[in-house]
Amino acid sequence: MRGFYHFYQAPIAVTQERSGNLKHIVYDAVNEIVFYADPANYRIRQISKYGVVSQAVGTGSLGNSSDEGELPASSAMSNPAGVALTHATGAFGGHLVWTDTSNHKVRIWNRTTVPATLFGVLVPAGRVATIAGTGSTGNVMGAALSSTFNFPTGLAYNSANGYLYVSDTQNHCVKAITPAGMVIAVAGT
């Protein structure tokens, strides 16, 4: 069977910019899965190599998760936007990271079968955790879990230095989350 019909409200995750580039989408080459943000339905979805669309993360209801170490299907969110994969290897497709935009956080799904320290946060195997942001708006740098964002949207992971770059939209800047779990400004004010 090749794919299913799905209805999406405002599928920002797979829209095309004027430059022709797709945004809010990431590809796991190891497992041949496309992940994309579906902000209107409060989920991160995945498309298999066979074209099957399914839920990867999210409850499908507007919310704000305060429980760390929750299962991906129990992770509430509000307008997820940017998606990225981190720590990928030849045999591992990477951990899934997304911006929980209206909750002013950056969250991660540890896609392995063992606990892992990711950006300074110990994340249980197969679970979701916040790696940056308190949930309040602001522009505080420093320890990632004490930092603040104001509508974070885009993400990019640099495997050379291990930094996760976050576009902090309403603060008009780009921040980086270091492997040690610190938030630093890299561009803008």
Side-chain angles (χ1 to χ4, degrees), residues 3-112:
F4 293 91
Y5 173 79
H6 285 273
F7 174 75
Y8 301 101
Q9 299 174 18
I12 293 170
V14 291
T15 60
Q16 225 174 8
E17 296 176 342
R18 289 184 186 161
S19 65
N21 296 324
L22 292 173
K23 61 181 187 174
H24 305 298
I25 187 169
V26 66
Y27 179 65
D28 171 352
V30 174
N31 297 299
E32 299 181 65
I33 298 171
V34 172
F35 291 99
Y36 65 95
D38 184 3
N41 292 302
Y42 315 109
R43 293 185 173 117
I44 306 298
R45 295 191 188 263
Q46 60 189 15
I47 306 171
S48 75
K49 65 182 176 181
Y50 303 107
V52 177
V53 178
S54 61
Q55 174 179 319
V57 183
T59 62
S61 298
L62 174 67
N64 186 357
S65 287
S66 57
D67 294 334
E68 298 305 317
E70 63 198 359
L71 291 169
S74 300
S75 182
M77 57 185 77
S78 181
N79 300 314
V83 291
L85 289 168
T86 68
H87 305 91
T89 65
F92 173 63
H95 302 287
L96 182 66
V97 183
W98 66 95
T99 54
D100 192 355
T101 302
S102 295
N103 287 325
H104 315 288
K105 298 177 185 177
V106 179
R107 307 207 70 216
I108 195 164
W109 172 22
N110 175 357
R111 294 175 58 213
T112 68

